[in-house]
Amino acid sequence: MQQSKQPKMASGQVGKDCFGWAARDPSGVISPYQFKRRSVGSDDVSLKITHCGVCYGDVLFTRNKVSETKYPTVPGHEIVGIVQEVVTNVDGFKAGERVAVGTYVNSCRDCEDCNHGLEVHCSKLVHTYNSVDVDGTITKGGYSSFHVVDKRYCFKMPENYPSALAAPLVCAGITVYTPMVHHKMNQPGKRLGVVGLGGLGHMAVLFGKAFGLHVTVFSTSISKKEEALNSLGADRFVLSTDENQMKALAKSLDFIIDSASGEHSFDLYLSLLKSNGVLSLVGYPKEIKLAPASIQSGLKSISGSWTGGTKQTQEMLDFCGVNKIYPKVEIIPIEYVNEAFERMAKNDVKYRFVIDIENSLNLK
């Protein structure tokens, strides 16, 4: 019989008090909450959380928009912190180092996906919050004072990279980096279209420019033109509701990163791709409608992606450190997070909220 690759967790052992903010019902309002983290196991890293990004998924889960929320739920899966405790089995991490934790904290470690560093696609994936871990406990996220996580799902931070700016990288950043690398969207001189300019879209622009691509941003809002061109460095801005502008770009793009979650025409965007072009969907629209001819003509492809495996996440963090790729964020105290949720629901953020846990979470 093949032995499980799961390490021994500190199941049944009472850990330390952890302070956080949690939603207790579908109103989604979060407020102070105290709970127990598990004890540090043989392969665990314990980290003091300094920053946590706010993903739109946090809004959805706290408000039970996915009908899976296990209350009380402590959201947050864009975590940056400082190692405060490791045990003898943990190589590569030491107390005082800065680390990051992303959207998942466990997997089976024995399937084909896990063995190829694609843990995010494991059928037994354990999300960073609102998920049942192998010891039966419900995971709780980064809107809290500290975390305990297996070393496999903990990432080293690039030296001198600002902690507040690193938080969105382990969700928004890796979500667009993964398909860009997989589909070879990192070839200098190629042409990339980015649909939607939010948390994901702005990261696609930053990566595209770092890869040496010609980047065109598509948005329904003309107010985003100046930001796209002057702040993010895009080469072109197109108002997607302008029929003439869209027609002028027919068969001009090699790749498209589609980060829009609202209703939009896939046939229209596929018409902008050259032969063999790829549209990668990283947004979450309610449905996808397209005419078969839109992909049959020109050997075009449409694919999906979300976050990435552990190996590629570390690669992405290192790439951002070397190339000085910095997300655009608004740093907030934990007390502001309910208002931040309301603003996110109205797309009123440029381009990611990051909670200053270290300086605003009251531990009393």
Side-chain angles (χ1 to χ4, degrees):
M1 178 182 295
Q2 187 178 22
Q3 285 190 322
S4 170
K5 293 185 179 180
Q6 286 283 354
K8 291 183 179 179
M9 299 176 67
S11 178
Q13 297 182 26
V14 177
K16 297 179 181 178
D17 287 335
C18 187
F19 298 88
W21 278 46
R24 293 164 173 81
D25 57 56
S27 71
V29 174
I30 67 171
S31 57
Y33 173 68
Q34 184 173 334
F35 60 99
K36 296 280 188 182
R37 289 282 187 200
R38 72 166 189 259
S39 296
V40 180
S42 60
D43 291 276
D44 287 338
V45 174
S46 175
L47 59 138
K48 173 187 175 183
I49 298 173
T50 62
H51 298 85
C52 187
V54 182
C55 174
Y56 190 65
D58 299 346
V59 180
L60 296 178
F61 272 98
T62 55
R63 298 178 179 182
N64 199 31
K65 296 298 184 181
V66 290
S67 301
E68 297 175 355
T69 303
K70 304 170 181 65
Y71 295 106
T73 187
V74 178
H77 58 209
E78 301 181 353
I79 302 168
V80 174
I82 299 170
V83 176
Q84 56 183 4
E85 183 182 356
V86 293
V87 293
T88 54
N89 284 8
V90 178
D91 296 323
F93 295 98
K94 60 183 180 181
E97 286 186 323
R98 293 184 307 140
V99 292
V101 177
T103 61
Y104 53 94
V105 292
N106 214 340
S107 60
C108 80
R109 312 175 198 212
D110 204 27
C111 66
E112 183 175 358
D113 286 326
C114 286
N115 289 334
H116 286 86
L118 300 172
E119 297 91 343
V120 68
H121 303 300
C122 175
S123 61
K124 296 181 180 179
L125 189 73
V126 177
H127 296 280
T128 303
Y129 69 89
N130 198 63
S131 198
V132 181
D133 211 340
V134 294
D135 63 352
T137 60
I138 305 301
T139 56
K140 293 178 171 60
Y143 294 16
S144 55
S145 54
F146 76 97
H147 210 306
V148 178
V149 62
D150 186 279
K151 63 183 179 182
R152 178 168 180 157
Y153 311 96
C154 194
F155 307 102
K156 283 182 167 291
M157 284 279 295
E159 189 175 356
N160 300 322
Y161 197 100
S163 294
L165 302 187
L169 295 181
V170 290
C171 177
I174 189 60
T175 295
V176 296
Y177 182 88
T178 295
M180 291 182 79
V181 173
H182 178 76
H183 294 291
K184 297 181 172 55
M185 300 184 192
N186 52 358
Q187 303 172 60
K190 295 286 188 176
R191 292 180 173 266
L192 170 71
V194 177
V195 182
L197 196 62
L200 299 178
H202 99 285
M203 288 303 310
V205 175
L206 295 175
F207 282 128
K209 294 308 299 178
F211 289 142
L213 305 179
H214 182 283
V215 179
T216 298
V217 170
F218 297 89
S219 176
T220 58
S221 176
I222 191 64
S223 64
K224 294 191 175 182
K225 180 176 181 178
E226 183 177 352
E227 186 80 10
L229 299 176
N230 298 329
S231 179
L232 299 177
D235 299 284
R236 178 184 291 172
F237 177 89
V238 173
L239 190 63
S240 57
T241 54
D242 188 316
E243 186 177 350
N244 291 330
Q245 288 188 52
M246 296 294 283
K247 283 184 176 180
L249 292 179
K251 300 186 72 172
S252 67
L253 304 175
D254 298 288
F255 317 106
I256 293 175
I257 291 289
D258 185 350
S259 68
S261 291
E263 184 178 346
H264 57 290
S265 171
F266 286 89
D267 291 315
L268 178 59
Y269 284 108
L270 288 166
S271 74
L272 307 185
L273 288 172
K274 299 177 183 179
S275 294
N276 297 302
V278 177
L279 184 152
S280 182
L281 180 63
V282 295
Y284 211 80
K286 289 184 178 180
E287 59 182 353
I288 299 174
K289 292 182 178 179
L290 57 90
S294 292
I295 55 176
Q296 291 169 332
S297 176
L299 296 174
K300 298 171 186 176
S301 302
I302 182 169
S303 70
S305 183
W306 56 20
T307 68
T310 53
K311 181 179 179 181
Q312 199 156 57
T313 300
Q314 186 63 63
E315 175 189 299
M316 179 272 306
L317 288 169
D318 294 340
F319 182 82
C320 289
V322 170
N323 292 279
K324 295 181 170 55
I325 298 173
Y326 301 127
K328 305 292 184 182
V329 307
E330 182 176 335
I331 301 172
I332 61 172
I334 188 72
E335 294 86 358
Y336 186 79
V337 74
N338 288 305
E339 187 170 344
F341 280 5
E342 293 298 325
R343 285 179 56 189
M344 290 180 73
K346 301 173 184 176
N347 294 318
D348 179 23
V349 57
K350 292 184 179 178
Y351 283 94
R352 208 68 157 187
F353 288 115
V354 174
I355 304 169
D356 184 352
I357 297 290
E358 183 176 35
N359 293 310
S360 67
L361 184 64
N362 188 347
L363 303 184
K364 296 180 181 179

